[in-house]
Amino acid sequence: MAPDPWLSQYDAACQLAQEVAERIQERSRHRRSGESSAKLNVIIRSSLQNLKEKINQLKDSLLRAVSTHQITQLEGDRRQNLVDDLLTRQKQLQASYKDEDTEPDVIRSSLMAGGVKRGVTNPWLLEESEETRGLGFDDIRQQQRRIIEEQDAGLDALSSIISRQKQMGQEIGNELDEQNEIIDDLTNLVENTDSKLRTQTRHVKMVDKKSASCGMLVVIVLLLIAIAVVAVWPTK
């Protein structure tokens, strides 16, 4: 199985830091012996810039791996600690390159750190946790894959719950729309019925008035007929 690309990049960066420390140490010997160190300064300056770029690439790769769940958060924290240590070494080497007075101690610590790093078969097992103790690289990857699958399953379950809630919300909304339509229809029916009742009430009142007028007219006509009859009726 091919090695982890991030591990290879980290090993290359550690090797480069080791070479820079050796170059700085060599420059110190040249200066003490009176030899020219101009060529070494160019090489060291270029190597330091290359080391800085490699560290930035390690940071970006680690961020992508954590954000896309390619590695666990615990593994990401371990790798971040290694990057921080490497960044500290890079700053020490940069300071040593600019200030010769600080070179001996810094170079010694950097060389020792470089020797330790290169002597470690698996740098990620420096502070081994109980979860991964005794596991090989393939076992760790399987464990990470299993964790990611569990996380994906949890996300799928959450997505299913959200979908059901969305469907229930839509159904409730449709039911409310239907009830609002029924209420609107009832309101229109009540308004129409009320309007018809008012119209019929006016008609009844008009009929009552007409009936009252007709009754009075009948009474008057009957009185007039009675008077006429009395007038023409012969008296004895």
Side-chain angles (χ1 to χ4, degrees):
M1 184 175 181
D4 190 321
W6 196 93
L7 301 180
S8 301
Q9 293 177 3
Y10 175 76
D11 289 338
C14 289
Q15 180 63 32
L16 181 58
Q18 173 75 7
E19 293 174 357
V20 171
E22 293 173 353
R23 294 287 186 182
I24 294 176
Q25 190 179 44
E26 183 180 359
R27 186 187 67 170
S28 298
R29 292 195 300 268
H30 282 199
R31 288 181 175 179
R32 285 194 297 269
S33 63
E35 299 180 32
S36 174
S37 59
K39 184 177 180 180
L40 283 173
N41 282 332
V42 174
I43 296 175
I44 294 170
R45 187 184 307 112
S46 176
S47 298
L48 285 172
Q49 180 62 31
N50 190 14
L51 177 60
K52 183 178 180 180
E53 292 175 357
K54 286 182 178 298
I55 293 175
N56 289 334
Q57 291 174 0
L58 287 172
K59 289 180 179 179
D60 294 339
S61 298
L62 179 57
L63 180 61
R64 286 194 299 270
V66 173
S67 61
T68 57
H69 304 292
Q70 296 178 10
I71 60 176
T72 63
Q73 186 61 48
L74 180 62
E75 179 70 9
D77 292 340
R78 281 201 300 270
R79 296 190 181 192
Q80 183 62 52
N81 290 334
L82 292 171
V83 172
D84 292 340
D85 292 341
L86 185 58
L87 182 60
T88 299
R89 290 176 59 195
Q90 183 267 333
K91 292 180 179 179
Q92 291 175 341
L93 291 171
Q94 185 71 37
S96 177
Y97 166 73
K98 294 181 179 180
D99 187 2
E100 187 177 2
D101 294 338
T102 63
E103 287 182 5
D105 293 338
V106 173
I107 294 173
R108 186 180 301 109
S109 62
S110 182
L111 286 171
M112 291 178 64
V116 172
K117 292 294 182 184
R118 289 196 296 178
V120 175
T121 303
N122 187 351
W124 316 121
L125 300 178
L126 290 176
E127 294 182 0
E128 186 70 18
S129 66
E130 293 296 334
E131 297 178 355
T132 59
R133 191 180 303 278
L135 298 179
F137 184 72
D138 292 339
D139 295 331
I140 293 176
R141 290 200 63 178
Q142 290 178 1
Q143 184 183 62
Q144 293 172 354
R145 189 178 298 110
R146 184 169 59 254
I147 293 174
I148 293 173
E149 290 175 354
E150 292 175 356
Q151 292 176 345
D152 290 341
L155 291 175
D156 291 339
L158 179 60
S159 176
S160 177
I161 293 173
I162 293 175
S163 297
R164 287 199 299 270
Q165 291 178 342
K166 179 180 179 181
Q167 183 178 0
M168 290 174 60
Q170 291 175 345
E171 292 176 355
I172 292 174
N174 294 335
E175 184 69 21
L176 289 175
D177 291 339
E178 293 178 359
Q179 292 180 359
N180 288 333
E181 291 179 359
I182 294 173
I183 292 174
D184 291 339
D185 293 340
L186 289 175
T187 301
N188 294 332
L189 179 61
V190 170
E191 291 178 352
N192 293 334
T193 303
D194 182 68
S195 177
K196 291 179 179 179
L197 286 174
R198 292 183 180 181
T199 301
Q200 294 299 326
T201 301
R202 286 196 298 269
H203 288 169
V204 170
K205 290 181 179 180
M206 292 176 63
V207 170
D208 288 343
K209 289 181 179 180
K210 290 180 178 179
S211 297
S213 300
C214 290
M216 183 62 67
L217 181 60
V218 170
V219 171
I220 293 172
V221 170
L222 291 174
L223 287 174
L224 290 175
I225 293 172
I227 293 172
V229 171
V230 171
V232 298
W233 191 267
T235 59
K236 292 181 178 179

